[in-house]
């Protein structure tokens, strides 16, 4: 009879124990792990004889979310990634000089891989042309303004492996607008923002939005555009405001990257408080009596409708259909209109015809962050 090698037996036993211990600990140790991932963790599935085919997948999800010392492993994996300048999530790109860039759509747009067909572009161009025609019948001027991504304004901070496509989807859409709907006034702010770069940093480093300095230049360019039709609007506003810098301890890209951990190199950035030079002259009042119900499911219902009035009765009235980039424009645009209504319509950028008919503005401004151009819909 062949003699069994005791070292092989010991090795097999230790290997089996190694496989079994995590499973044993999963049910023996209390589940005290802190959920810091901004999502609901999987729950232990109930074993039902009539649904046995679903149990393995649900149990696998539960184990992945609750295996022992999971938070510790994630913590060290995260720190290793950051130390080696590797982003642990595809939603954030770590650039040079601690600059963060939004992944997903923004990166796809820059690299030319975004799903934005010519047919969809034609639909959008036709939709905007139709809006222009309807609004002009009511003597309302219509403007489309596109906010560029950080990729377009600060490409020098991108990783060296990332290359811009020869022509982005935004470039193609703007070219199509000029060719097929030249009657629609469309301003892509990229060239304007690049021109202002030498005046100071215009975008946040740990967030994908422009800061209030960038928003000030954007607002001035928008007012310049409108002043051709409304000469009572100013073309220079920089001397009308002062910007007080402060350290901002937040940023959506930092939060996505760190998963509620604090990374000192990304946690702080410079933002600005906006002050009117002459508070008596720029007497702006926000009306908190909302006229419209927020869109169901919109995560920021308090921000759906914001309404401002001034004592400038001879100035035009404006309705701004916007996203979060348009929110930064509010302190710069609201002083120059007798009334201004800002609608954050759940990133749908609809015509909002019913609201426009009730408001009867002189101007409708559609403010779109460029990765979201594909979302423009009809009524």
């Amino acid at each position: 009879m062949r003699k069994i090698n005791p070292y092989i037996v010991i090795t097999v036993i230790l290997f089996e124990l190694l496989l079994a211990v995590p499973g044993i600990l999963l049910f023996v140790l209390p589940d005290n792990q802190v959920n810091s991932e901004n999502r609901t963790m999987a729950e232990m599935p109930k074993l039902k004889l009539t649904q046995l085919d679903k149990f393995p997948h649900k149990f696998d999800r539960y184990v992945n979310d609750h295996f022992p010392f999971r938070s510790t492993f994630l913590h060290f994996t995260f720190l290793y990634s950051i130390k080696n300048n590797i982003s642990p999530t595809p939603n954030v790109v770590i650039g040079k000089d601690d600059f963060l860039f939004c992944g997903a759509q923004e990166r796809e747009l820059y690299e030319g891989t975004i799903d934005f067909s010519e047919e969809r572009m034609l639909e959008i161009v036709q939709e905007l042309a139709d809006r222009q025609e309807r609004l002009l019948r009511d003597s309302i001027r219509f403007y489309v303004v596109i906010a560029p991504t950080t990729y377009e304004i600060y490409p020098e901070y991108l990783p060296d492996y990332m290359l811009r496509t020869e022509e982005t989807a935004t470039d193609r859409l703007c070219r199509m607008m000029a060719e097929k709907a030249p009657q629609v006034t469309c301003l892509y702010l990229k060239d304007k923002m690049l021109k202002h770069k030498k005046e100071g940093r215009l975008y946040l480093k740990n967030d994908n939005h422009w800061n209030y300095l960038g928003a000030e230049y954007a607002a001035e360019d928008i007012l310049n555009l409108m002043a051709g039709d409304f000469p009572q609007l100013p073309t220079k506003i920089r001397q009308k405001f002062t910007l007080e810098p402060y350290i901002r301890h937040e940023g959506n890209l930092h939060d996505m990257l760190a998963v509620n951990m604090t990374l000192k190199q990304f946690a702080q950035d410079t933002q600005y408080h906006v002050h009117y030079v002459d508070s008596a002259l720029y007497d702006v009042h926000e009306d908190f009596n909302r006229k419209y119900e927020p869109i169901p499911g919109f995560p920021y219902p308090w921000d759906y409708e914001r309404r401002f009035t001034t004592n400038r009765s001879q100035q035009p009235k404006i309705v701004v259909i916007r996203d979060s980039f348009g929110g930064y424009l509010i302190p710069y645009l609201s002083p120059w209109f007798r009334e201004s209504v800002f609608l954050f319509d759940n990133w749908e950028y609809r015509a909002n015809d019913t609201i426009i008919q009730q408001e009867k503005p002189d101007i409708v401004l559609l403010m779109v962050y460029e990765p979201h151009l594909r979302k423009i819909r009809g009524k």
Side-chain angles (χ1 to χ4, degrees), residues 285-303:
H285 302 279
E286 183 166 6
D287 183 356
F288 293 98
N289 295 315
R290 314 301 191 198
K291 290 186 178 181
Y292 311 109
E293 287 295 320
I295 295 174
F298 180 47
Y300 314 113
W302 59 88
D303 210 21

Side-chain angles (χ1 to χ4, degrees), residues 166-374:
E166 184 175 348
E167 185 180 41
T168 68
T170 308
D171 296 331
R172 297 200 305 275
L173 180 64
C174 289
R175 176 165 48 81
M176 190 179 294
M177 285 282 294
E179 293 172 355
K180 300 185 178 299
Q183 71 275 23
V184 179
T185 303
C186 181
L187 173 62
Y188 180 26
L189 284 168
K190 175 186 171 181
D191 290 340
K192 299 282 188 181
M193 301 301 284
L194 288 172
K195 183 183 71 174
H196 296 310
K197 273 178 65 171
K198 61 180 181 295
E199 306 296 334
R201 182 156 54 82
L202 308 178
Y203 278 63
L204 296 162
K205 294 178 68 174
N206 60 6
D207 195 296
N208 70 326
H209 293 87
W210 49 33
N211 58 29
Y212 276 108
L213 177 60
E216 184 179 50
Y217 283 116
E220 188 170 88
D221 290 327
I222 292 169
L223 288 167
N224 262 285
L225 181 69
M226 296 177 177
D229 299 310
F230 299 88
Q232 63 269 51
L233 292 175
T235 58
K236 296 290 183 184
I237 63 171
R238 291 226 57 211
Q239 68 275 19
K240 309 298 183 182
F241 300 92
T242 59
L243 298 182
E244 177 187 346
Y246 70 94
I247 300 299
R248 179 177 184 261
H249 296 274
E250 58 184 1
N252 59 5
L253 298 181
H254 166 267
D255 294 343
M256 284 190 282
L257 182 71
V259 195
N260 288 342
M261 293 170 58
T262 299
L263 289 172
K264 293 182 179 180
Q265 68 190 97
F266 302 119
Q268 298 182 356
D269 200 2
T270 301
Q271 183 56 288
Y272 300 91
H273 292 297
V274 181
H275 302 287
Y276 301 131
V277 172
D278 187 342
S279 59
L281 180 61
Y282 304 108
D283 192 12
V284 183
H285 302 279
E286 183 166 6
D287 183 356
F288 293 98
N289 295 315
R290 314 301 191 198
K291 290 186 178 181
Y292 311 109
E293 287 295 320
I295 295 174
F298 180 47
Y300 314 113
W302 59 88
D303 210 21
Y304 171 70
E305 174 192 352
R306 296 190 65 184
R307 183 181 300 270
F308 301 84
T309 57
T310 69
N311 57 7
R312 299 183 162 197
S313 59
Q314 302 304 310
Q315 294 294 98
K317 177 178 178 178
I318 187 172
V319 169
V320 181
I321 300 167
R322 55 98 177 183
D323 49 33
S324 51
F325 270 74
Y328 282 79
L329 302 178
I330 289 176
Y332 300 116
L333 294 183
S334 56
W336 310 108
F337 299 89
R338 71 174 185 271
E339 189 172 357
S340 49
V341 181
F342 295 83
L343 295 176
F344 191 168
D345 68 344
N346 200 29
W347 299 277
E348 295 179 5
Y349 309 101
R350 294 186 179 271
N352 293 283
D353 287 339
T354 301
I355 293 178
I356 300 300
Q357 290 169 6
Q358 293 185 49
E359 294 297 329
K360 296 180 172 56
D362 301 292
I363 298 171
V364 170
L365 169 63
L366 176 62
M367 180 81 201
V368 188
Y369 182 44
E370 62 173 315
H372 298 160
L373 285 165
R374 298 176 301 165

Side-chain angles (χ1 to χ4, degrees), residues 107-125:
R107 177 174 178 176
E108 292 171 2
L109 182 65
Y110 185 78
E111 295 184 318
T113 60
I114 196 166
D115 181 19
F116 198 174
S117 67
E118 299 292 314
E119 292 76 16
R120 182 73 189 103
M121 289 185 187
L122 281 170
E123 291 176 1
I124 291 170
V125 169

Side-chain angles (χ1 to χ4, degrees), residues 124-182:
I124 291 170
V125 169
Q126 186 58 55
E127 165 62 23
L128 296 178
D130 291 345
R131 292 189 195 185
Q132 166 89 355
E133 183 178 354
R134 292 197 304 271
L135 292 169
L136 276 180
R137 285 201 295 264
D138 294 325
S139 300
I140 300 173
R141 301 295 300 182
F142 180 51
Y143 305 92
V144 179
V145 175
I146 303 171
T149 65
T150 317
Y151 285 81
E152 295 291 346
I153 308 305
Y154 292 102
E156 63 270 26
Y157 293 107
L158 284 167
D160 293 332
Y161 62 81
M162 198 168 296
L163 300 175
R164 186 184 189 274
T165 183
E166 184 175 348
E167 185 180 41
T168 68
T170 308
D171 296 331
R172 297 200 305 275
L173 180 64
C174 289
R175 176 165 48 81
M176 190 179 294
M177 285 282 294
E179 293 172 355
K180 300 185 178 299

